[in-house]
Amino acid sequence: MSLSVFGSSTFCVVTGASQGIGQAVALHLAPKFGSNSVMVLTARNGTNLDETKAQIVTKAPNVEVRCVVGDLGNQETIAKVAAECFDSVTPDTFQHAIIVQCAGSLGDLVYIRDLNNAVDIQKEMLLNVTSAFVLTPKFLNTFQKSDSLRRTVINISSLAAIQPVKSWGLYCTTKAGRDMVFKVVAEEEQDVRVLNWAPGPVRTIMITKCTEDSADADTRQMMRDARDSNMVLTCDQTCEMLMHVIEKDEFKSGDHVDYFDVKK
C-alpha cells in the first residue's frame, strides 16, 4: 500500500487506554501522527483516561485527544461507547484510520471444572470478544474502503490465544476467539492491515495477578520464573517493538505476531 503508515492526518481509537499496555500504545502512537489528527481514548476509569490525555497533549500537541468513558464488559454500554467513539467523525478528513483494541481482562484463573458462574463467564465474553464484534464493524462502516484512506486494525492478543495454559481456560478461550475475529476481518477486508499483536509477558497489574492468583501451581511457578529471570517486559519495550512492526509493515494481514518472534 502506498499510503503512509505514519505522518499523515490520522483518526485513532485506543481501548483500555487508562493504564498498562493500552496507555503505552496511545503514548507511542500519538507523536507519530500528522497534523489535524484525532485520538479517542476509551476505558472505564475517567480519571486515569484524563491522565493519559494530559501526557499525550504534552508529547503530541498537534493531536486532538478525546476521552470516552464506558465499560466494554457491560452489555448496556458497549454500543454507547462505540457510538461516542465514531458517530461525530467526518471520515474524509483523514488519510489513515486506526483502531487498537487493548481492553481486556483475565477473568477467573481457575480450572475449567470450577467455572460455573454463567454471569461471570458472559461478562468476560462481552469484554474480550463481543466488544470486538461491536467496535470493529463500527470502525469499518465509519471508515469505508477508499483509495485515499489507509485502514489499520490492531488487536492486543496473547500467547494464551494459541497456547493452552492450566487454570487460564476462560482467558485462553476468549483470546483465541478474539484473534479469530480479526483473522476473519483480514480475509473479508483485503485492504485493511490487521495485526494480532502478542506483547509478551508485560509488567502490568495482570502479570501480578497471574503469579499470585492462578489456581494451578505449575502456572504460578511458570509466571514467577519468567518474572524473576527478567523475561517480563515493560510496557514501553513491547510498544516500541509494536511501532517497529507497524512501520515496517511486512506482516501478513491477520497474523498473530509475538514480540519474541520479531527480528529488528
Side-chain angles (χ1 to χ4, degrees), residues 11 66 79-91 138 142:
F11 183 90
R66 305 171 186 170
K80 180 175 180 290
V81 170
E84 288 188 31
C85 287
F86 294 106
D87 280 358
S88 64
V89 178
T90 306
K138 190 74 172 177
T142 300

Side-chain angles (χ1 to χ4, degrees), residues 144-172:
Q144 298 186 12
K145 183 176 179 179
S146 167
D147 290 340
S148 60
L149 177 71
R150 184 184 185 96
R151 300 190 292 173
T152 302
V153 173
I154 300 169
N155 167 41
I156 301 302
S157 184
S158 169
L159 181 61
I162 60 173
Q163 179 175 304
V165 182
K166 290 183 290 184
S167 74
W168 292 10
L170 186 54
Y171 184 64
C172 290

Side-chain angles (χ1 to χ4, degrees), residues 1 145 151 185-193 253:
M1 182 177 289
K145 183 176 179 179
R151 300 190 292 173
V185 170
E187 291 295 317
E188 294 177 344
E189 310 287 340
Q190 294 290 312
D191 69 300
V192 179
R193 299 293 286 145
S253 189

Side-chain angles (χ1 to χ4, degrees), residues 5 8 25 60 62 70 75 79 84 135 140 164 176 181 184 197 206 220:
V5 178
S8 57
V25 165
N62 61 308
Q75 189 167 345
E84 288 188 31
L135 287 168
L140 294 172
V181 173
V184 174
W197 174 249
M206 281 189 176
R220 290 197 304 274

Side-chain angles (χ1 to χ4, degrees), residues 17-19 23 41 43-55 67 205:
S18 62
Q19 62 180 357
Q23 182 182 61
L41 310 174
R44 290 173 291 184
N45 189 313
T47 300
N48 287 358
L49 275 186
D50 286 340
E51 292 176 4
T52 305
K53 176 180 177 177
Q55 292 184 58
C67 293
I205 294 171

